[in-house]
Amino acid sequence: MIETIYIEEQVADHPRTLDILERFPAARKIQCQRYGEIFNRKAQSFRLQKQQPALILASKHKGFVLPTPEAYGIGAKENYYFSHMMNCMYDCRYCFLQGMYQSAHYVLFVNYEDFAREIVDKIQTSKKEVHFFSGYDCDSLALEPVTKFLDYFLPVFRDNPNALLEIRTKSTQIRSLLNIEPFDNCVLAWSFTPAEIANALEHKTPSIDRRIDAIKKLQERGWRIGLRFDPLIYSSEYQTQYQRLFADTLSECDAELLHSVSLGSFRLPKGFFKILKKMYPHEKLFASPLEEENGMFSYKTKIQSEMLNFCSNEILKYIPEEKFYPCQDILSLDVT
Ligand code: SF4
């Protein structure tokens, strides 16, 4: 799966680096000074690299925990995200990462301890309810067997019950979660689009049925689950498609045990939109009724509010209002 691993000199002897290298004995290993030498090189082809991404093991130096864009959240006043990885093994056509990065290689920051220090610091200094989101610049779980992200970060939040962690994913890598005792201040959140849209746009992701199956197992185990219908994608049949998706997810999962359900509209910054459109000139998504406003591309206001109203009404047939967060006005990310 991973044929080449670049290793920053600074983390060459880090225990996490050594563990990962042991997993890939046949991989070509190349030392580098800083990950940017490989990741930020000019004139790289994201699409070509996506066929066989390398793994880059690196150390993050700053910006471990960042405020989320305004309106991103599930009810708290203070919201942060943190990204132990950049890039994702899935390949969603709407993913903003393709517009943001020059490279499709996976960068894994192995210095988890520095992230944790800043997370705990934020929790201790915050006077409000505080939420943390993982899965912004990557899919939180997709590479779990390699990253062991959960093993390290779940105890950090278990020990700090006044902060909530949301782990955003489309993955079904739940084996380690089934072996961990659930705790209340962790929400495992799955993103969904209707099957027809997922088939067309979410390449390499687990099917909706497999995601639902993973959710059911975790609910039985006692984990709190979030459903994220994000991004909402328009088609002339969107009403039937979303009705079917809500029926499949909300009636299959135990709606009583759901922590929260949210909607997110499709939005991309102008610069990213242009890159994606050039990357996929024949992709119908980018020829749909979008418009630019204040440097962001999104569906025309009329379409967007019709979709949001329709989907909100449908969702509220299954869950009480207090579990519903109607719109996350953010980049199109699952985003993950
Ligand atoms: S949208 Fe999420 S799952 Fe899809 S490629 Fe991007 S990060 Fe991965």
Side-chain angles (χ1 to χ4, degrees):
M1 156 213 190
I2 287 172
E3 291 180 359
T4 305
I5 306 181
Y6 293 92
I7 308 141
E8 271 187 2
E9 273 170 16
Q10 198 188 337
V11 299
D13 298 322
H14 192 291
R16 220 162 267 123
T17 301
L18 300 177
D19 269 4
I20 292 168
L21 294 181
E22 223 172 87
R23 267 190 81 94
F24 300 102
R28 193 161 59 112
K29 293 161 188 99
I30 303 170
Q31 287 238 349
C32 62
Q33 277 217 308
R34 271 305 270 154
Y35 76 89
E37 292 163 24
I38 295 106
F39 195 69
N40 298 331
R41 258 182 217 151
K42 293 256 178 319
Q44 307 197 70
S45 165
F46 192 98
R47 288 314 310 162
L48 269 181
Q49 281 186 359
K50 194 77 188 163
Q51 290 170 18
Q52 188 56 62
L55 174 64
I56 305 174
L57 301 175
S59 169
K60 194 167 176 80
H61 291 177
K62 59 181 181 182
F64 298 103
V65 179
L66 297 166
T68 61
E70 223 176 296
Y72 184 91
I74 43 171
K77 288 267 182 302
E78 219 174 304
N79 297 290
Y80 297 101
Y81 73 95
F82 63 101
S83 298
H84 67 299
M85 262 193 86
M86 300 196 292
N87 275 330
C88 175
M89 60 186 278
Y90 303 137
D91 193 5
C92 304
R93 284 295 174 267
Y94 53 75
C95 182
F96 78 104
L97 298 177
Q98 307 164 97
M100 191 155 79
Y101 301 138
Q102 311 255 12
S103 165
H105 293 329
Y106 312 131
V107 179
L108 175 67
F109 297 114
V110 296
N111 53 329
Y112 293 176
E113 293 73 14
D114 294 322
F115 286 88
R117 206 171 301 118
E118 210 164 300
I119 289 169
V120 172
D121 192 49
K122 287 267 187 288
I123 296 171
Q124 288 173 350
T125 52
S126 172
K127 296 197 173 46
K128 300 175 191 152
E129 187 185 7
V130 57
H131 289 179
F132 292 83
F133 295 85
S134 152
Y136 198 93
D137 296 322
C138 63
D139 182 287
S140 302
L141 295 190
L143 274 178
E144 179 57 20
V146 179
T147 64
K148 306 272 188 345
F149 165 78
L150 297 174
D151 283 355
Y152 183 83
F153 284 96
L154 290 186
V156 173
F157 283 88
R158 186 188 281 115
D159 292 345
N160 286 281
N162 47 341
L164 184 125
L165 168 67
E166 175 183 300
I167 293 172
R168 183 79 68 99
T169 190
K170 288 191 181 95
S171 169
T172 50
Q173 290 282 358
I174 58 163
R175 198 175 308 159
S176 59
L177 284 163
L178 293 172
N179 292 324
I180 296 171
E181 201 51 44
F183 54 101
D184 267 0
N185 57 318
C186 176
V187 178
L188 309 167
W190 266 264
S191 307
F192 288 97
T193 56
E196 300 79 353
I197 291 166
N199 290 340
L201 299 179
E202 295 176 1
H203 304 285
K204 301 186 191 164
T205 58
S207 67
I208 291 176
D209 286 349
R210 285 182 54 211
R211 287 180 232 175
I212 295 172
D213 205 43
I215 289 172
K216 282 161 74 174
K217 285 188 183 130
L218 290 165
Q219 281 195 318
E220 274 166 32
R221 182 79 179 84
W223 285 99
R224 303 175 87 195
I225 302 295
L227 300 183
R228 310 287 173 247
F229 300 107
D230 179 7
L232 287 178
I233 303 284
Y234 176 79
S235 86
S236 52
E237 280 100 52
Y238 84 85
Q239 298 197 346
T240 326
Q241 292 174 349
Y242 275 94
Q243 261 172 340
R244 202 178 306 129
L245 177 65
F246 299 145
D248 288 347
T249 48
L250 290 157
S251 62
E252 279 290 318
C253 307
D254 189 335
E256 291 273 304
L257 294 178
L258 281 178
H259 171 271
S260 51
V261 176
S262 66
L263 293 176
S265 29
F266 173 74
R267 283 167 75 82
L268 274 174
K270 185 178 169 186
F272 295 179
F273 177 83
K274 282 187 166 174
I275 294 171
L276 265 62
K277 201 168 172 190
K278 202 168 158 200
M279 217 179 254
Y280 310 111
H282 304 298
E283 176 54 67
K284 278 193 215 148
L285 173 68
F286 304 118
S288 47
L290 300 165
E291 66 183 4
E292 188 207 331
E293 200 185 329
N294 300 327
M296 295 293 266
F297 271 88
S298 58
Y299 290 117
K300 291 184 173 156
T301 315
K302 187 169 174 287
I303 291 180
Q304 191 156 292
S305 49
E306 269 176 26
M307 283 187 85
L308 285 169
N309 282 338
F310 176 81
C311 291
S312 301
N313 289 335
E314 289 297 314
I315 287 171
L316 289 170
K317 292 178 183 168
Y318 298 91
I319 57 153
E321 215 163 336
E322 61 270 19
K323 292 192 180 189
F324 183 46
Y325 297 89
C327 188
Q328 296 185 349
D329 199 17
I330 50 161
L331 296 179
S332 167
L333 73 171
D334 358 61
V335 298
T336 215

